[in-house]
Amino acid sequence: MVSVTREVWSMPRGGRECSIADALSVVGERWSLLAMREILLGVRRFDLIVHATGASRDILTSRLRKLVERGVLERVQYEQSPPRYEYVPTEAGRALGPILLSLMEWGDRYVRQGSAPTAFACECGSELHPVTVCGECGAPVSAEARVTRLGAVR
């Protein structure tokens, strides 16, 4: 049985400090993630992103604006007259690539019925199945992995 410390019960009303919650405040909305999927696949112009995601223009405009404001994307002009822009991932945006691939893998395994609609190949030529590993020792990280929290829960 899991024991809950007194610290958990005395959390502030807004919940504990959490990097997952912080990340979700930036990219945790469906249309933001689907727009990032397309942009990371090379679809960078607004009309093409609308078509590929199925998002309404006003919602997509809002999500892309937020991703630019939060430093995940850059809006880069590619045509002068009339002015036209494309969305280019920043370092933070490119870092979402492996996360989206892992989310896709999870969806293929636990959500979808039937075969996966998309597969990717690794540089080695094999079908890609992303795995999270420790950056130091390379050990796979899974639900069964023994991990230890460093520092107190805030």
Side-chain angles (χ1 to χ4, degrees):
M1 175 168 244
V2 176
S3 65
V4 179
T5 65
R6 183 165 193 71
E7 181 177 9
V8 172
W9 296 113
S10 64
M11 271 190 263
R13 195 149 165 58
R16 84 171 50 137
E17 290 183 38
C18 176
S19 297
I20 295 170
D22 295 342
L24 289 174
S25 75
V26 177
V27 298
E29 200 279 328
R30 171 187 176 98
W31 301 117
S32 298
L33 288 174
L34 292 178
M36 287 306 302
R37 174 196 68 194
E38 294 306 317
I39 291 164
L40 291 169
L41 289 171
V43 178
R44 300 197 171 159
R45 296 183 181 175
F46 184 81
D47 287 337
L48 297 174
I49 299 169
V50 167
H51 179 73
T53 61
S56 69
R57 297 176 75 79
D58 60 330
I59 288 175
L60 187 61
T61 297
S62 170
R63 299 313 182 265
L64 290 171
R65 182 180 298 123
K66 182 177 182 179
L67 291 169
V68 169
E69 289 170 358
R70 299 301 294 267
V72 178
L73 295 174
E74 288 182 279
R75 190 169 173 249
V76 177
Q77 189 170 5
Y78 69 88
E79 190 173 296
Q80 295 285 342
S81 183
R84 296 198 184 273
Y85 298 85
E86 64 182 1
Y87 294 90
V88 178
T90 62
E91 178 183 347
R94 290 186 303 274
L96 283 170
I99 295 163
L100 290 175
L101 288 170
S102 293
L103 186 59
M104 182 186 76
E105 178 81 6
W106 182 84
D108 289 345
R109 182 172 295 163
Y110 299 108
V111 179
R112 278 199 65 80
Q113 300 289 323
S115 61
T118 304
F120 291 94
C122 183
E123 292 177 18
C124 71
S126 297
E127 186 173 326
L128 179 65
H129 295 281
V131 175
T132 302
V133 299
C134 173
E136 190 65 31
C137 71
V141 178
S142 68
E144 295 80 30
R146 293 183 55 105
V147 295
T148 305
R149 181 186 309 273
L150 300 176
V153 175
R154 295 188 285 184

